[in-house]
Structures are given as structure tokens and as C-alpha cells.
Amino acid sequence: MSFILTLANLLSIAAAASGWLKLSDGPWSAREGLMAVEDASGIVMVGGRANLGLAAQHDVWRTPNGSSWERLPDAPFAGRAYHAMLSHGACIFVMGGQTVALLGDPFFNDVWRSCDGGETWDSLGHAPWQPRAGLAVATHNGRMVVAGGCFGSSIGAGRKFLNDVWATRDGASWELLTANASWSARSGPRLVDFNGRLLLLAGEVGFTADTQLGDIWESGDGATWTLLTATPAFSARSGHGVVNAGGSLLLIAGWHDAKCLHDQWLSEDGVVWRMVSNATWACTADACGRFDFWPVATSSGLLLTLGGSNAYSTFGKLWAETWALPLLGGGRPLRGGSVAMH
Ligand SMILES: *[C@@H]1O[C@H](CO)[C@@H](O)[C@H](O)[C@H]1NC(C)=O
Ligand SMILES: *[C@@H]1O[C@H](CO)[C@@H](O)[C@H](O)[C@H]1NC(C)=O
Ligand SMILES: *[C@@H]1O[C@H](CO)[C@@H](O)[C@H](O)[C@H]1NC(C)=O
């Protein structure tokens, strides 16, 4: 695998107590709601949005190591943020999301595929689901699964939240797994394949402190869901990061009660969570906490985070930074991980 900055390199440079290392600041513009995945060519990032007044992006960037970014041709699809992006088979898929539009419907359900590391994209048409943003996605049993999200005006009661779940093998042919999952309709939950089961974590039903969620649900098939916990040890939140980190679940930061978080929580089962750090990004104050960044757990044993926002308004601080944390080492070993050294 081509991810060049190895754990050994990083540990030798990152002596910092928090274990986090800032790898780059740009060259892409500061943004939130961006998405990124790892594939055979490196880490590929697509989209996101800047502050109000600037359109959502359709720029595509790739890095072999988180430090040095290459700009690829802009994607042929409309600029978007809070979309879904997956590495599945030998290809990268982008679907759904929203643009910044004062007129017209800013929500998407189009599906795009790149099988050359984000350099060229094919249209796979439109999915049969309601156009939406804040949809959660994961690969599970050879399929891509899409869950929840939202659409409609962000003013008043105009925003509608969803709890349907869909699956596809190829991005073109879709199966409805459930029109109404047991978890309440929501936007921005995170979905992760964990020990062969799908876990759906937290999210939101609005844009205020009292509309943030913390509940965690589990499913073997995406259709039938079981509540794992209504009250995890971490606070209700949205805009968080969740990765499967070598056999443990790691949940990072997000937005809660008008605060931008910088905590990290670890779980072996999705039920019992323990805080392993409150210094994500070497940050120990609300002013440097963030949400709507995107995390990627790389095959070489690093957690990368890209971008993010610090203010729950459209005029707040946005980042263009890439940070890394070794998932093993730094004094907080994660259990059961295996790290490929290259
Ligand atoms: C990252 O990759 C680029 C391109 O291959 C290379 O020039 C640069 O030295 C690498 N940086 C690190 C820190 O490995
Ligand atoms: C979804 O299921 C809940 C119970 O789990 C029920 O109260 C609600 O009416 C259902 N909604 C739709 C649209 O079927
Ligand atoms: C993390 O630090 C913040 C200060 O920014 C503090 O308010 C919060 O209570 C801490 N979180 C936990 C879970 O201890």
C-alpha cells in the first residue's frame, strides 16, 4: 500500500505528549463537510464547503502521506458538502450531499464512481432515495449501505429528517432495507462496520444544543436495528468522527451544547465507552475543538483528520489542516490492532 508516512516515521517525529502531529495546512481551502477515503492511490478528498457566500466545492485532492497534496481535475459533478464517500472494491463512490443554494433544491441523490483514484468520474445516475445531505454510509457484507440524512429548508420546521436504509453493490442498483428504522430519523449519524455488524452512532435532529443525539444502534442486516445504548458515556453530539481503529471503535470530537469538542472515546463493543484523551489535535479548549472534519483510519495504522469547523454558524472558524495520530503508541495503545509497516 502506498501510504508512505509510516507509523515508525511518525512516532519518531511526533514526540508531542498528545500524540497528534499536524501534517499540513492547505493547500486546499479551509472547509467543513468534506469527505475523504483511502484507496490504492492514497487518500482522496472531495468537496466540502467554505463559509456562506462561497459555493460548495467539487475540487479533488490526493495525498500519499497527508503532508503533500496534489490537486486533481475538478470532479464533473456539482459542488457539494455533507455528501457520502466510500472506497468499495477497486473504486471510490461519491453520492448525495448538498450545495449552497438560495433558490432551488440544493439536495442531491446522484451517484458517481472513480476507479482511478479520483482522476476521472463516471455518472451512475440517480439513486431511488430522497435527495439528502448528512447521510451516513459504510461498506458491509460487500455492499454500500446508506442510512438517514436530511433535506428541506434549514429555516424553521422546514428541515426533514430521515431514517430509511438502502444498500447497493454497484452504486446503480439499490435495495430498500427499511423505510423506517427503529432509530429516530436524524442527520449526520456515523455508520461503521464493526465486527461484521453495522453500528449507527449519534447525530442530530436540528441545529440547536437540545437537538443533538447520543444513542447507538446495531444491525446485522441494515433492516432490523437493536438499541445498544441510549446513554453512552460521551455527550450527545453531531459532526463527530468515528473510525474502526484496529478492532476498537474510536469516536472523536464533534459539536455538543454549543461547544466544539476535542475529546476521544474508545469502545470494544459500542456500549461501554471510556475517554482516552481530551486533547485531540493537541487542543484542550473549546476554541480549538472542531466538528464536521473527516477522519480516515489508514492501512498503515494512522488516524488522519481533515478540515473541520469551530463555530456552529456559517461564519465561524474553518480549518484546512490535516492531522495524524498513530493508532498504536503514544502511550495509549489500542487493543487488538495490527499495524502494517512499509
Ligand atoms: C510526502 O509525499 C511527497 C510526494 O511523494 C514527498 O515529496 C514528500 O517528501 C512526502 N513527505 C513526507 C513527510 O513523507
Ligand atoms: C416509524 O416507526 C415508528 C415506530 O418505530 C412509528 O411511530 C412511526 O409512525 C413510523 N413512521 C412511518 C413513516 O412509518
Ligand atoms: C474536556 O475539556 C473541556 C474544556 O475545553 C471541558 O469543558 C470538558 O468537561 C472536558 N471533557 C471531559 C469529558 O472531561
Side-chain angles (χ1 to χ4, degrees), residues 123-272:
S123 169
L124 298 179
H126 291 263
W129 31 266
Q130 162 69 43
R132 66 187 65 193
L135 60 170
V137 281
T139 54
H140 179 69
N141 287 344
R143 298 195 294 186
M144 296 181 278
V145 177
V146 168
C150 67
F151 65 101
S153 168
S154 60
I155 299 161
R159 187 56 58 98
K160 304 292 182 228
F161 296 91
L162 297 160
N163 64 348
D164 51 346
V165 183
W166 297 77
T168 182
R169 287 187 190 282
D170 58 8
S173 168
W174 289 85
E175 180 189 350
L176 177 63
L177 301 181
T178 173
N180 184 15
S182 312
W183 38 272
S184 60
R186 65 189 64 195
S187 183
R190 304 305 184 208
L191 192 65
V192 62
D193 181 300
F194 186 64
N195 296 336
R197 304 193 54 89
L198 284 167
L199 264 61
L200 182 116
L201 303 95
E204 65 185 4
V205 290
F207 308 109
T208 54
D210 59 356
T211 51
Q212 306 301 299
L213 305 172
D215 51 337
I216 301 174
W217 295 76
E218 181 191 63
S219 177
D221 59 8
T224 304
W225 293 84
T226 309
L227 180 64
L228 282 184
T229 174
T231 52
F234 58 81
S235 53
R237 65 189 65 200
S238 60
H240 49 307
V242 177
V243 293
N244 184 341
S248 298
L249 285 167
L250 184 62
L251 179 140
I252 318 156
W255 190 85
H256 163 77
D257 198 16
K259 290 196 174 63
C260 294
L261 303 168
H262 43 80
D263 51 354
Q264 269 170 67
W265 298 78
L266 199 60
S267 178
E268 319 302 341
D269 57 10
V271 180
V272 177

Side-chain angles (χ1 to χ4, degrees), residues 9 61 83 180 208 281 311 319 339:
N9 293 150
W61 296 81
H83 44 298
N180 184 15
T208 54
W281 308 295
W319 276 279
V339 175

Side-chain angles (χ1 to χ4, degrees), residues 262 265 275 278 284-286:
H262 43 80
W265 298 78
M275 191 171 79
N278 200 8
T284 54
D286 297 344

